[in-house]
Amino acid sequence: MKKVMTPRERVAATLNFEEPDRVPICIGSSGASVNDAVYFQLKEYFQIEGDVEPFRSGHGDNIYDPRVFDKLGGDFRHVFLKSNQDYKAATTEDGGRINEWGVKVIRVGKFNEWMSHPLQYATLEDLDTYAWPKPYEGNRDRDLKADIDYWYKETDFAISTRSPSRGFWDLGIQLRGFDQFAMDMILNKPFVHKMMEKILEVLLAYYDVLLSTVGPYVQIVETQDDLAHQNAPFMSPDAYKEFMMPYRKELNAFIKSKAPQAKIYQHCCGSVRKLIPYMIESGIEVLNPIQPLAKEMDTGKLKRDFGKDIVFFGGIDLQERLAGPPEMVEQEVKERIRDLAPGGGYILSPANVVQPDVPIENLILLCELAREYGQYPLDIEKLK
Amino acid sequence: MINKVIEVLSMNNPELVKSTVEEALEAGLTANQIINEGLVVGMNGIGKRFRAGEIFVPEVLVSAMGMQMALERLKPLLKEGENQAKGKVIFATVQGDIHDIGKNLCCIMLEGAGYDVIDLGTDVSKEVIANAIQEHNPDVVGLSALLTTTMTEMPVIESYLQEVGMRGKIKLVYGGAPITSKWAEDHGADGYSEDAAECVELVAKFVS
Ligand code: B12
């Protein structure tokens, strides 16, 4: 009989590119949580009584309830900052409210969406006087110390932070407007650099608040930035190197200084392959979500080309397979494990927040199959 | 000279496009020639290079801006009868969905190719689409969805347009990351395209 590892040991091994007892599973990270509607279905299915307080509002996923994730068999606990308790949002005539970044948030269908672009017409000087968020205010780290003490000392779960904010490009296109910010990269370079500097300041402060409490205890620190769409990165690799990488490097170095033992994770949707070498160079050690149907995201090739340098986290397709018939879910689990798990360096999860079109039976099946097919040593015959 | 107009569009410099257009006019080319043999051809090439992964979204947007500036100068110079759009297209991102980057790119490329484009924005209901068809009488209606949970809105719109007797008046095309050509075909579309360059070819097929 091989030794059964604790979740923390399992994740530690795979992050070190060693084969643990089985492929670790994550439900509940910033890039692999479940939509609230899915959460309530799961809660009912598992007959879990009593509500937990949502940790935020206005996103697709606002509830973090380990009781549900444990039923699915996740290996992780996540620690994260809460919202600013002193922030009073101004409201707009059309029913929106202004968030801390100065962006108007409006309800669209089931989601509250970030809609306006407050820096669209801004000049360089405006960036100095803009009311940037103040991460040190608002008691965002409330409960954090108690959470980390408990999870770290009293349990053997793997521990990761969730991402406290969107990333450089995400915020750039939101604040400036997509078209304008994209064109700034060619026509107004100083503006892009200054914007990135300002965003870096805010992000550093967020990570300072978060990691001053939990830094020494976590195995993964999550960051995010959606740099790619279905067919390509939004920007050329050269533009990434010029505008994103310098600030990324600083952020990553800061995270390492506060959590030297932890691996830095970046969530980045879409066809990101062309940027992976530079993400690695900037200090990213774990890549999420690996959208297998996006162009150039063949998981076998990714593992071959980058598998020694970066841990893959995610991989289970949400654009077709996870909402499909059970055979499709099974095929998906086998393919991802076969491609990504050899030699460790793989944590299995859905390739984004699970949406309400996925039947909960499929999600439950996914986790069962992942435990079955994810046993090391891998049975490659069975995975065909 | 016309080759210079084509080339300059991809040089990431809208001001240079403008001055090149002036040169072309001085050299005796007509506005119509500069647009149709120069700018439209150039923009078409941009779309192809984007599809091939040689250039990225910022480059496409800057080229489109150069084109826009050139058109502002040239359109008033067009002669009677030359100023006709090739056709009219309505675009919308379906209800519940706010992804608009891809839709906007399609609109830009279509405008660049000489179509009249009416962009209804994001999170658009079937009623608003029907009203817009009534008002504008387009040749083609393009629907965009980026989520598996909102792409299901497309066949709903399709049957609604049947119900209100408008389906036969237009060609309906679908697009967005989760859509495939097979799915579009099975769910009531007349056409599908994977990217903005192909979208122009698709629309051209229906308008000619
Ligand atoms: C940017 C982005 C966002 C931005 C959108 C900003 C904006 N103003 O558009 C923000 C952050 C707001 C966002 C929000 C969400 N997103 Co989002 N998003 C993306 C991302 C990274 C890129 C999309 C994009 O801009 N592509 C760039 C353009 C150029 O490409 P395109 O849209 O595909 O368009 C091209 C073609 O498809 C075609 N085309 C497009 N439309 C049409 C129409 C016609 C008629 C034709 C012919 C052609 C055509 O031409 C275009 C140009 O070449 C994708 C990742 C991906 N793989 O696509 C996820 C993605 C689409 N999002 C996803 C999700 C889950 C969400 C959220 C639900 C997250 C949440 N909150 O829980 C919300 C939902 C918001 C809502 N109500 O719509 C998932 C969807 C999964 C699924 N089940 O379908 C994706 C696939 C990411 C993933 N990893 O799985 N998102």
Side-chain angles (χ1 to χ4, degrees):
Chain A
M1 264 304 277
K2 72 177 176 188
K3 177 175 170 285
V4 176
M5 291 177 152
T6 67
R8 198 169 295 161
E9 291 167 346
R10 182 173 298 135
V11 169
T14 215
L15 289 175
N16 277 326
F17 302 100
E18 291 156 17
E19 295 192 346
D21 59 339
R22 69 162 169 78
V23 172
I25 300 169
C26 178
I27 308 287
S29 82
S30 332
S33 192
V34 300
N35 177 279
D36 290 353
V38 178
Y39 163 77
F40 284 113
Q41 288 172 43
L42 285 168
K43 181 163 172 272
E44 189 176 323
Y45 179 89
F46 292 129
Q47 300 184 329
I48 289 169
E49 300 288 329
D51 292 332
V52 298
E53 200 188 325
F55 70 93
R56 61 181 183 185
S57 65
H59 293 253
D61 59 307
N62 302 291
I63 304 171
Y64 187 85
D65 187 350
R67 299 172 305 169
V68 168
F69 303 148
D70 288 351
K71 290 281 183 195
L72 289 168
D75 286 297
F76 280 84
R77 282 295 182 272
H78 298 86
V79 286
F80 42 86
L81 295 182
K82 296 199 167 152
S83 52
N84 176 350
Q85 67 179 24
D86 302 326
Y87 184 70
K88 302 234 175 354
T91 51
T92 58
E93 274 172 19
D94 51 359
R97 77 190 161 76
I98 305 295
N99 74 11
E100 281 191 273
W101 287 94
V103 174
K104 181 166 80 178
V105 181
I106 285 198
R107 189 94 187 155
V108 179
K110 294 193 197 71
F111 304 111
N112 289 354
E113 298 299 348
W114 294 33
M115 298 301 269
S116 67
H117 310 299
L119 292 174
Q120 188 160 12
Y121 305 108
T123 62
L124 264 186
E125 295 71 45
D126 294 335
L127 292 177
D128 286 321
T129 52
Y130 192 64
W132 298 96
K134 299 189 173 62
Y136 293 108
E137 294 178 4
N139 197 19
R140 294 165 214 260
D141 53 356
R142 56 188 180 276
D143 309 333
L144 195 57
K145 177 95 178 65
D147 281 354
I148 191 70
D149 278 353
Y150 182 75
W151 299 131
Y152 186 73
K153 293 190 191 122
E154 307 296 329
T155 78
D156 49 24
F157 284 106
I159 307 178
S160 168
T161 72
R162 284 177 57 125
S163 187
S165 168
R166 296 185 181 193
F168 295 100
W169 162 261
D170 296 339
L171 289 162
I173 60 173
Q174 187 63 56
L175 294 169
R176 184 75 162 154
F178 180 84
D179 291 8
Q180 191 56 51
F181 190 65
M183 289 195 291
D184 285 342
M185 287 186 148
I186 293 171
L187 302 176
N188 196 355
K189 295 184 176 196
F191 191 91
V192 180
H193 281 293
K194 184 140 181 193
M195 188 119 155
M196 293 298 101
E197 273 167 33
K198 290 288 173 188
I199 289 173
L200 175 64
E201 271 175 40
V202 181
L203 293 184
L204 288 174
Y206 269 119
Y207 280 96
D208 194 21
V209 176
L210 176 67
L211 297 177
S212 290
T213 302
V214 305
Y217 310 106
V218 293
Q219 286 169 287
I220 294 177
V221 175
E222 292 185 2
T223 71
Q224 75 187 60
D225 216 3
D226 275 332
L227 301 164
H229 56 86
Q230 195 75 10
N231 296 330
F234 280 112
M235 72 204 80
S236 66
D238 283 344
Y240 176 80
K241 282 191 270 186
E242 183 173 355
F243 299 111
M244 302 280 138
M245 201 151 100
Y247 308 98
R248 246 297 152 187
K249 277 188 171 162
E250 267 194 62
L251 179 64
N252 291 344
F254 180 75
I255 291 172
K256 274 287 176 192
S257 76
K258 304 287 282 188
Q261 79 295 341
K263 302 272 182 187
I264 304 177
Y265 153 129
Q266 179 172 344
H267 168 84
C268 174
C269 291
S271 169
V272 68
R273 186 193 158 95
K274 288 195 173 77
L275 303 183
I276 293 177
Y278 311 107
M279 292 168 89
I280 293 170
E281 191 184 329
S282 81
I284 296 301
E285 300 162 293
V286 181
L287 183 63
N288 168 271
I290 322 295
Q291 237 184 289
L293 300 190
K295 208 169 261 176
E296 299 191 324
M297 292 300 278
D298 177 294
T299 43
K301 284 205 191 102
L302 287 175
K303 183 77 174 181
R304 220 169 304 135
D305 295 344
F306 306 112
K308 288 195 177 51
D309 301 313
I310 204 158
V311 172
F312 296 105
F313 189 135
I316 301 296
D317 168 60
L318 278 181
Q319 290 182 300
E320 195 179 308
R321 315 256 171 90
L322 196 53
E327 309 80 69
M328 216 182 220
V329 176
E330 179 163 12
Q331 192 51 39
E332 179 67 5
V333 173
K334 287 199 218 172
E335 266 178 42
R336 279 336 127 221
I337 291 180
R338 186 194 63 206
D339 284 354
L340 296 171
Y346 179 47
I347 295 166
L348 182 143
S349 83
N352 211 329
V353 177
V354 177
Q355 300 298 310
D357 61 330
V358 174
I360 57 165
E361 291 74 20
N362 282 16
L363 190 54
I364 295 166
L365 178 66
L366 166 72
C367 294
E368 279 171 17
L369 292 172
R371 277 193 298 277
E372 181 187 333
Y373 288 116
Q375 296 292 330
Y376 287 101
L378 300 172
D379 184 344
I380 296 296
E381 273 311 302
K382 233 170 74 181
L383 293 172
K384 287 218 163 106
Chain B
M1 190 67 232
I2 203 72
N3 282 337
K4 198 170 169 198
V5 175
I6 296 173
E7 277 161 28
V8 83
L9 215 47
S10 63
M11 290 167 81
N12 286 332
N13 188 342
E15 290 300 327
L16 200 60
V17 178
K18 241 170 95 178
S19 59
T20 307
V21 164
E22 285 316 319
E23 274 177 50
L25 287 170
E26 271 161 36
L29 295 181
T30 67
N32 196 32
Q33 271 176 318
I34 300 174
I35 294 176
N36 287 310
E37 292 162 34
L39 298 171
V40 169
V41 176
M43 217 43 212
N44 192 15
I46 300 282
K48 294 217 164 100
R49 290 177 60 206
F50 175 62
R51 184 199 302 179
E54 292 166 20
I55 56 171
F56 297 79
V57 179
E59 289 80 13
V60 176
L61 291 171
V62 168
S63 304
M65 183 178 178
M67 170 113 185
Q68 213 60 46
M69 285 162 63
L71 287 178
E72 267 163 41
R73 169 78 173 101
L74 294 170
K75 277 206 168 150
L77 305 178
L78 287 174
K79 296 203 189 71
E80 193 86 15
E82 285 178 347
N83 198 1
Q84 262 182 11
K86 285 191 195 152
K88 206 186 262 185
V89 188
I90 287 185
F91 248 84
T93 300
V94 302
Q95 193 152 37
D97 202 319
I98 61 148
H99 294 85
D100 65 358
I101 297 167
K103 168 191 66 72
N104 294 351
L105 226 49
C106 289
C107 292
I108 288 172
M109 293 300 289
L110 283 166
E111 274 169 1
Y115 294 90
D116 207 353
V117 180
I118 296 133
D119 181 357
L120 301 178
T122 61
D123 186 27
V124 182
S125 71
K126 54 184 192 289
E127 291 83 7
V128 170
I129 292 170
N131 288 341
I133 296 176
Q134 183 87 347
E135 186 185 337
H136 299 286
N137 196 21
D139 303 287
V140 179
V141 174
L143 301 178
S144 181
L146 265 283
L147 299 169
T148 50
T149 46
T150 56
M151 64 197 259
T152 48
E153 192 59 26
M154 294 173 158
V156 173
I157 295 168
E158 201 265 344
S159 32
Y160 182 73
L161 294 180
Q162 297 222 12
E163 234 175 85
V164 296
M166 287 180 178
R167 182 66 182 88
K169 293 192 205 158
I170 51 131
K171 293 292 179 187
L172 191 61
V173 298
Y174 299 168
I179 321 271
T180 61
S181 139
K182 167 106 179 47
W183 188 91
E185 198 180 295
D186 292 347
H187 291 83
D190 299 312
Y192 157 85
S193 89
E194 191 188 286
D195 59 45
E198 231 179 78
C199 175
V200 174
E201 291 165 21
L202 180 69
V203 168
K205 211 171 74 189
F206 289 132
V207 170
S208 63

